[in-house]
Structures are given as C-alpha cells and as structure tokens.
Amino acid sequence: MTFSLRPAHDDPRTAELVGRLRDYLGGELADYERERGLTPGSRLTRADLEPVWRRSRELGFYGIHLPEEYGGRNLTYTQLAALKEEIGASSRVLGHSVLGDMGGPLRAGDILRHATEHQLDKYLLPLIRGERACCFSLTETDAGSDVRSMRTVAVRDADGDGYRLTGHKVFSSAGPFADFAIVVARMAGTGEREGEKPRFSAFLVDLDSPGCRVEDGATPMSGEHIESDIVLDDCHVPAANLLGEEGEGMRIALGRVTTNRLLHCPTVLGATRRALTLTLERTRTRKVASGQPLLMLQAIQHKVADMATEFYAARSMTYAALAALDAGREVPAEAFMCKLFVAESAFRILDEAVQIHGKEGLTQGNEIEYLFRKIRMFRVLTGTSEIQRNGIARILAFDH
C-alpha cells in the first residue's frame, strides 16, 4: 500500500465505488447540508436524515456491505473500509448516514442472522430500506468496558407471553431519531449469587412502548447531538422480540467484535487524512515574518513528515489486517493493535495539526478544532486504549 492523501485503488470495483462516493459526498450531499444549514452541532431530525437514507439507498450505498439478497453488493471488508475512509475524509455532517452507520444497516450489525422472519419483516428489512432506524443499547453508567456488570434486568412473564425490562441505558447512538432499540439485559435471577454467571438476552424494543422513555443523552465533546438515554420501567416486550435464544444476548451483542473493532479504524483514518490535508494546505499558504510559507521552516517540515509517516503506518497496518480477514484468517491481536495504534497516532497527528494552525486551531468553528475533539474521543470509544493493550497482552501470554 503506497502513501497518498487521495488514494487510488487497483481493484476496479473499489475504484468505481470510491469515485462515485466522492462525487456524492462533495457534490449533492454537500449542497444538501448547506441548504439546511447543518453543522456538527446541529440537532438532527428525521426530516434531515430520511432524504439522505433514501437517496443513499437509490445510489446503492445504504447497506452496500450486505448480501445481495438484502439489496447490498456483498462487499469485502477491505472494500467497505475504503468507503468508510472516504466518509471520514469528506467532512460531511451527514456522512454517517450514507452507508448506514448512524441508525441504519451498519448499526444493526450481525443481528440479521439471528432474526426470525417476523423480526426481519417488522424491523430489519424496513431498516435496510431506510424506512426505520435503530439504536444499540448496551452501555450503562456503571457498565462501560465491563458490560457484564449491567443492571438492566429482564423478567419473564408468568404466562410466557413476553418479558418485563427495567433499567437505564446510556450512550445509545442514534437514539434521538430511532424507532426501536436493540437492548441487552440480564435475565432476572442470574448472576446474583457469588460465583454464579449472569445470563444476558437481547431484545428488539419499540421506543414508543409503554414503560420506555427516550431522554436526551450526554453531549459528547464532539458537540454532536446523537446520543440518548433509554429508560425502561417495567417495559413489556413481546416474546417474539427476543433475539436468538435466552442467554445468547451478550454473544449477539458482541458478535463480530473483532471485525467491528477493525472497521471503526478506517473512518478515523479518513478524518485524520482530512486533518493532514488541511494542515499541509495551511503550511503552504500561511506566511511567516520573512514572507516564506510555513512549510519552508525545518521545524514545520519535520512535524508534517512525522504526521504523514504515522498516518501511513496506521493505514497500512489496518488494511493489512482487513486483507487477512478477507482471506479468512483470524485477526484478534491485529484488531486490538489497529484500534490502539490508530487511536493513539490519530490523536498525536491532530495535536500537531492544532499546534501548526495556532490560534485558529483553538477556535470553535474551525474544522481542525472540531476534528481534534472528534478524534480524541476514539481513544475511549469502542474500547479504551488500555482495554486494547489488555487484549494484546492476553493474546501474547497464551501464544505458544
């Protein structure tokens, strides 16, 4: 993989998709966002999002990773990553809605293979068509990295007709505009005695159900209003909405965790690529007291050289791991390593980008300032850097 801030792709299919995606992101979608005055801090509504879901579906991007039977193009992981990188590099506010990351097919993840015909017809096929949206509700205030300490409980109805869910979920991304949530809860009566393992189940919960309340979630440092709290108070969920079997909820929730960990990296790489591009533009056009461009100063040259080198290393290792995954190999260590290195190197690159931009890099409304806040979050989200290091060390300890 060669270094480029606007990568070309040898695979004709990938090259065609990336080209069309760039045109859409920089043209039609950019115009749509300008017309509606959307910024990263805008409170997005269904009226903002539904036209993007429909148009992206028409163009073949929404759910493109899915098998052909669901209207997708059965992309390889490497092909999907190339598209996710372009989304990240585009600076589009609604980029997360083009492939279905925010409340769409990518958010639903691997649950399609666990769904019954009823669940497909009522929830997941409308989701794929851009008619409905979902959020994923796993995290709780005291159950983040240690999700098994969750307190949300599911009680089975005596007549077997369904379940009663009680608990409080936080950081449910896409919650403000979702129709239903994928909720993981501990089965009542399990994990309560010392040494007893808890059992978890996953449910499809309509967010307008009695006993279910959607509240404004915490606003992350990125300033985006995309999070909700899902509060459940003896909320009845029909038995038909149980995903998979009882006790399989954690396996379903964390299914394809290695793949998902890897697939978060290309979006961050795209945003980092954007920051590096903006920084190079500034160093070429910003003049110092002598009248020379910033880039003529050796101190600046060394900074951008290090930034570009770290980016190339992070991107190369990510796509190498994805290629191995496409070849059918197991890559748990590589996924931990990529998440760790991409998060940490992207943060260092953005930190230097802010430094080079000076006062403008500290000013709200400047794209570099926003990207710095956005990238900083990745060192915590989807597993902290410390959790990734734990995973790497654990694998090394048992690698004989």
Side-chain angles (χ1 to χ4, degrees), residues 182-330:
I182 302 162
V183 176
V184 179
R186 177 174 59 84
M187 297 303 299
T190 70
E192 296 177 354
R193 292 184 291 274
E194 186 175 351
E196 181 187 34
K197 289 186 177 181
R199 297 174 66 241
F200 301 91
S201 298
F203 304 88
L204 297 172
V205 179
D206 291 294
L207 294 179
D208 60 357
S209 299
C212 178
R213 190 169 73 253
V214 180
E215 297 182 346
D216 285 344
T219 302
M221 64 189 296
S222 65
E224 297 165 295
H225 298 283
I226 57 174
E227 308 289 349
S228 281
D229 286 11
I230 308 297
V231 182
L232 303 161
D233 183 8
D234 198 35
C235 176
H236 180 260
V237 178
N241 285 21
L242 172 70
L243 268 173
E245 301 293 330
E246 272 191 21
E248 291 186 348
M250 197 60 71
R251 184 173 65 84
I252 292 172
L254 301 180
R256 290 181 65 205
V257 66
T258 293
T259 304
N260 290 336
R261 185 176 291 123
L262 264 179
L263 285 174
H264 282 298
C265 293
T267 306
V268 174
L269 288 169
T272 308
R273 196 177 100 197
R274 172 68 177 167
L276 189 50
T277 300
L278 290 172
T279 302
L280 285 171
E281 289 175 0
R282 178 175 177 81
T283 61
R284 290 174 182 137
T285 57
R286 179 77 171 187
K287 302 293 176 57
V288 296
S290 64
Q292 291 183 315
L294 269 177
L295 195 53
M296 297 302 292
L297 300 178
Q298 189 178 70
I300 299 298
Q301 291 172 354
H302 288 183
K303 283 183 182 292
V304 297
D306 288 344
M307 292 163 71
T309 301
E310 280 213 74
F311 172 75
Y312 178 47
R315 188 172 187 271
S316 295
M317 69 187 293
T318 298
Y319 280 88
L322 288 163
L325 196 63
D326 281 329
R329 297 199 290 275
E330 298 289 332

Side-chain angles (χ1 to χ4, degrees), residues 4 11 31 45 93 121 157 186 190 219 260 266 282 302 327 343:
S4 175
D11 170 43
D31 292 341
T45 66
V93 175
D121 289 343
D157 285 343
R186 177 174 59 84
T190 70
T219 302
N260 290 336
R282 178 175 177 81
H302 288 183

Side-chain angles (χ1 to χ4, degrees), residues 328-357:
R329 297 199 290 275
E330 298 289 332
V331 292
E334 291 87 344
F336 281 125
M337 290 174 178
C338 288
K339 169 61 171 70
L340 171 64
F341 191 76
V342 169
E344 296 297 323
S345 61
F347 174 72
R348 287 190 293 268
I349 291 168
L350 264 294
D351 189 53
E352 289 287 26
V354 170
Q355 195 74 13
I356 291 171
H357 277 77

